[in-house]
Amino acid sequence: MAAQTYLHLHPLRCLPFPLKIQNPQNQSHHFKQKPRNPVVCKLRVAVIGGGPAGSSAAEALATGGIETFLFERSPATAKPCGGAIPLCMLDEFSIPLNLIDRRVTQMRIVSPSNLVVDFGKTLKPHEFIAMLRREVLDSFLRQRAESSGATLLKALVTNLVVPTSTREPYVIHYTMDNCQHQLAVDVIIGADGANSRVAKSIKAGNYTTAIAFQERIKLPEDKMGYYENLAEMYIGNDVSPDFYAWVFPKCDHVAVGTGTVCSKSDIKSLQHAIRARVKPKIEGGKVIKVEAHPIPEHPRPVRVRGRVALVGDAAGYVTKCSGEGIYFAAKSGRICGEAIVKASEGGENMINEDDLKREYLRKWDDKYFTTFKFLDVLQKVFYGNNAAREALVELCGDEYVQRMTFDSYLYKNLASGNRWEDAKMVMNTISSLVRCTIMGREVEASAQKILSRVL
């Protein structure tokens, strides 16, 4: 399509001079103050994806005076997800308490050998982990973005035309009500998940993805009472070779699921294994929904290119070890939306790649890079084999470990501990790893002897 057609679609056609936007290929981290490019018409931003990341971005944009379009293809569906959110998110994102299905105050982690550790002994009276259904949370966040001024489009984005000139807008092709439409915008936020079409359009690079598989099971009343305020995590090669499996309580059912990177083709057998391990607790239950979805394992090589930014799963913001993504999705969306508002001075000026890197990426990385790296290391240490997993469960019985874990999770800051206790924790970690590795070898050797006799 010719540039003239783009400009006909685009509000910047009213500019009396061409826009001057810095070359998107420039990856410099030295940001110079650039002359402002005032726009006669308000800056237009499209947010593609209406989950926590996209909705939070759209709300921040609309609240800041930006003309905002929020695309969501399937408002009625929800991503398979444990649905746990940290305590700080309730206040920070003003989540109404009536959206919470369960307030989890008890957590149990179960080792490969079925050693059980209660992991909630140090929670304070006012502390809990909120369990929500994603369809409920996502719908609320979208509605709030819409009430803030964003235009919600229940549409499927089919193509994104990236401009070849700084004078041209981005053009979104989408299907709505069985009709083809186009929309020209100045800036795009990709919040469209692990298989992001936006990321592909800007050649943001690939990343490793895990797959999450979950069954929602409606239990008999007496068995549902067992999970009133209890969440369970199971680890072991049988249920996940590199993550964990879970049983999380919802309003009137439990979510039973697992995730894996290494054995995606075996996901159903892994799900069968977690069901087998919890069989006495879910017996008599009825499967009411089956869900599966890819989950990113690490950030994409490129998260900003030109006037396009990626947030949430599209950017790769899911923590290893815990697999947490809801809070980080919403937070990245909000930071990105606020960055655009600030850089454009409320939509009055054009922005460029350097603006997005400075106001969005730098702030995000400064705040969360250490957290993601720390959890990455934990996964490599404790999820490599069953012996290490046994050591992890053993350590989880320590109250200091529990307090540090919950302080970091509930309030989203790496907790500052006591130096003496930290030293003891390191020594206990080494001791547990050594002891469980030896035990693991002995168990493996015994199993091989028994197997050889049978054969």
Side-chain angles (χ1 to χ4, degrees), residues 271-283:
Q271 179 68 11
H272 180 75
I274 178 58
R275 290 196 60 167
R277 288 182 72 174
V278 300
K279 183 177 179 180
K281 302 171 187 175
I282 65 170
E283 209 159 20

Side-chain angles (χ1 to χ4, degrees), residues 402-418:
Q402 292 190 21
R403 186 65 251 166
M404 292 290 289
T405 300
F406 277 116
D407 282 351
S408 298
Y409 171 76
L410 293 174
Y411 306 108
K412 282 297 160 281
N413 286 307
L414 285 178
S416 299
N418 176 281

Side-chain angles (χ1 to χ4, degrees), residues 5-43:
T5 307
Y6 282 116
L7 295 176
H8 174 72
L9 291 166
H10 189 53
L12 297 185
R13 63 185 182 276
C14 48
L15 280 175
F17 50 85
L19 295 174
K20 295 182 180 179
I21 302 176
Q22 189 167 338
N23 185 349
Q25 299 304 318
N26 181 11
Q27 299 294 321
S28 172
H29 292 284
H30 300 285
F31 303 104
K32 297 179 180 179
Q33 184 65 35
K34 63 181 179 64
R36 295 285 83 185
N37 287 322
V39 293
V40 177
C41 303
K42 276 279 189 179
L43 195 76

Side-chain angles (χ1 to χ4, degrees), residues 114-225:
N114 284 325
L115 170 67
V116 180
V117 167
D118 288 324
F119 200 68
K121 293 182 288 187
T122 65
L123 282 175
K124 298 172 184 175
H126 69 283
E127 292 179 334
F128 60 90
I129 298 172
M131 291 287 177
L132 303 88
R133 285 162 291 162
R134 280 293 300 273
E135 60 268 30
V136 175
L137 176 64
D138 292 9
S139 177
F140 167 77
L141 293 174
R142 277 194 298 271
Q143 289 174 11
R144 190 163 69 183
E146 193 173 15
S147 66
S148 297
T151 300
L152 177 61
L153 299 173
K154 299 176 183 179
L156 170 64
V157 173
T158 56
N159 191 32
L160 172 61
V161 180
V162 178
T164 57
S165 166
T166 57
R167 299 184 182 187
E168 298 174 0
Y170 294 85
V171 177
I172 299 167
H173 294 251
Y174 62 97
T175 302
M176 186 169 66
D177 299 328
N178 295 319
C179 296
Q180 301 295 318
H181 301 271
Q182 296 179 25
L183 178 70
V185 295
D186 307 293
V187 182
I188 291 177
I189 295 179
D192 48 341
N195 293 325
S196 171
R197 186 183 295 273
V198 176
K200 291 181 175 67
S201 297
I202 64 169
K203 296 180 174 58
N206 298 318
Y207 54 16
T208 304
T209 58
I211 183 168
F213 188 95
Q214 176 175 278
E215 293 174 299
R216 301 196 193 194
I217 302 176
K218 191 172 181 63
L219 301 180
E221 190 173 336
D222 60 326
K223 293 187 181 296
M224 193 65 215

Side-chain angles (χ1 to χ4, degrees), residues 315-330:
Y317 297 148
V318 175
T319 58
K320 286 197 176 177
C321 194
S322 66
E324 183 189 3
I326 298 177
Y327 175 82
F328 294 111

Side-chain angles (χ1 to χ4, degrees), residues 4 71 81 99 144 174 180-181 208 210 257 261 294 307 315 319 394 399-400:
Q4 288 85 351
F71 288 84
C81 178
L99 298 189
R144 190 163 69 183
Y174 62 97
Q180 301 295 318
H181 301 271
T208 304
V261 175
R307 288 168 279 139
T319 58
E394 185 178 283
E399 292 192 7
Y400 180 72

Side-chain angles (χ1 to χ4, degrees), residues 312-344:
D313 282 11
Y317 297 148
V318 175
T319 58
K320 286 197 176 177
C321 194
S322 66
E324 183 189 3
I326 298 177
Y327 175 82
F328 294 111
K331 188 68 173 180
S332 64
R334 175 176 284 183
I335 290 176
C336 188
E338 291 174 345
I340 293 170
V341 171
K342 180 180 178 181
S344 68

